[in-house]
Amino acid sequence: MAPALDIPALEVAHLTVSYGSTPALWDVDATFPSGAMSAIVGPNGSGKSTLIAAALGLVPSDSGRSTIFGRPAKEAMRRVAYVPQRESVDWDFPITVREVVEMGRYAEAGWLRRISRSDRAIVDGAIERVGMAPYSRRQIGQLSGGQRQRVFIARALAQEADLLVFDEPFAGVDARTEAALLSLLAQLRDREGRSVVMVHHDLQTVRSMVDWVLLLNVRAIACGPVASTMTPDNLRRVYGAADIGAPAAEGAAWVP
């Protein structure tokens, strides 16, 4: 598909973030098209998660700016659904699968968080789409790694956001589950025009499933269509090697 470049889903300009005296990002410019599936790729410690967090205003930046569909990020967060790394979630918290997904409707429900009949239908549909209906009343700590990821993707779907942002969404899941979730994200892009930006580590998956890529190692090495951006020279600049791939991790299998 041809990504729409007129109004980017997410754009950062001159973004610099440091932790103490150590720069995590340095003067990064990157554009992620609307209606496309985009990936942020780079070695461990290259600033991938920091880029997402800073772009969404979750961590402070030293300089730079970010926009979402052409508006300052802080003014457009209602259009974003963010799924963090699994390590940042308290899996012992006494909450069920359905209650997690219902959180995706809170912005629409208002401060009283009263879920309407239409909200419940949206939640049911999101849970069904990720194959978690049989587990809807299960406490989240009792789920496998792949099931946990599906729950948080369902919460993002329930938000009905225009931009879905994922930080390592396939960590801890097996290849079949990853393929099924990627297929779902592709459907959201192709049938509903959603935009997806994700941190991802598997270069083979990026080549086969993703439209647009940012190669990052503290600085932006290259950003653009996958075919013209993931060149051997650019990969050497990012990783110090011509090509690096990573096998999918193990987890719960699911086929839609």
Side-chain angles (χ1 to χ4, degrees):
M1 63 172 295
L5 292 173
D6 49 350
I7 303 178
L10 176 65
E11 185 172 22
V12 299
H14 304 297
L15 190 62
T16 296
V17 179
S18 59
Y19 299 119
S21 60
T22 303
L25 296 172
W26 186 261
D27 197 32
V28 172
D29 293 328
T31 298
F32 302 97
S34 299
M37 191 182 302
S38 303
I40 302 170
V41 172
N44 290 338
S46 60
K48 301 184 297 295
S49 297
T50 298
L51 175 62
I52 284 178
L56 300 183
L58 303 176
V59 299
S61 58
D62 299 330
S63 62
R65 62 178 178 84
S66 60
T67 58
I68 295 170
F69 297 109
R71 297 176 56 199
K74 64 181 180 180
E75 298 177 7
M77 288 303 295
R78 289 282 295 271
R79 300 185 69 180
V80 180
Y82 169 60
V83 177
Q85 292 186 26
R86 289 192 296 121
E87 290 77 8
S88 65
V89 178
D90 180 4
W91 298 108
D92 294 324
F93 192 77
I95 192 170
T96 67
V97 166
R98 183 177 183 82
E99 288 169 335
V100 170
V101 180
E102 285 179 349
M103 290 178 180
R105 301 305 304 162
Y106 283 174
E108 297 296 325
W111 68 273
L112 291 177
R113 295 180 178 177
R114 291 178 177 171
I115 304 298
S116 68
R117 180 178 298 178
S118 61
D119 289 327
R120 288 193 291 271
I122 291 169
V123 169
D124 288 340
I127 293 172
E128 184 69 32
R129 290 185 79 172
V130 300
M132 287 300 291
Y135 307 93
S136 61
R137 299 191 180 277
R138 187 168 296 186
Q139 194 269 336
I140 57 172
Q142 299 173 352
L143 304 175
S144 69
Q147 290 170 336
R148 291 173 178 180
Q149 288 299 81
R150 284 185 261 156
V151 170
F152 280 88
I153 290 176
R155 184 183 69 178
L157 296 180
Q159 285 183 241
E160 298 188 320
D162 299 308
L163 171 60
L164 307 176
V165 180
F166 302 102
D167 192 352
E168 293 281 7
F170 310 120
V173 306
D174 68 30
R176 292 178 64 200
T177 301
E178 178 179 330
L181 292 175
L182 279 167
S183 177
L184 174 59
L185 295 180
Q187 290 175 26
L188 294 173
R189 174 197 63 191
D190 297 340
R191 300 178 186 176
E192 302 177 22
R194 308 281 186 96
S195 306
V196 177
V197 175
M198 61 181 170
V199 172
H200 197 40
H201 65 275
D202 188 336
L203 301 190
Q204 297 304 319
T205 299
V206 172
R207 285 191 178 99
S208 62
M209 295 293 295
V210 171
D211 308 303
W212 193 267
V213 64
L214 166 65
L215 300 180
L216 182 70
N217 196 343
V218 181
R219 295 177 181 269
I221 304 303
C223 186
V226 168
S228 59
T229 303
M230 289 184 63
T231 64
D233 181 60
N234 283 339
L235 291 171
R236 275 191 292 268
R237 293 170 64 197
V238 175
Y239 292 102
D243 197 358
I244 294 178
E250 293 184 358
W254 167 58
V255 177

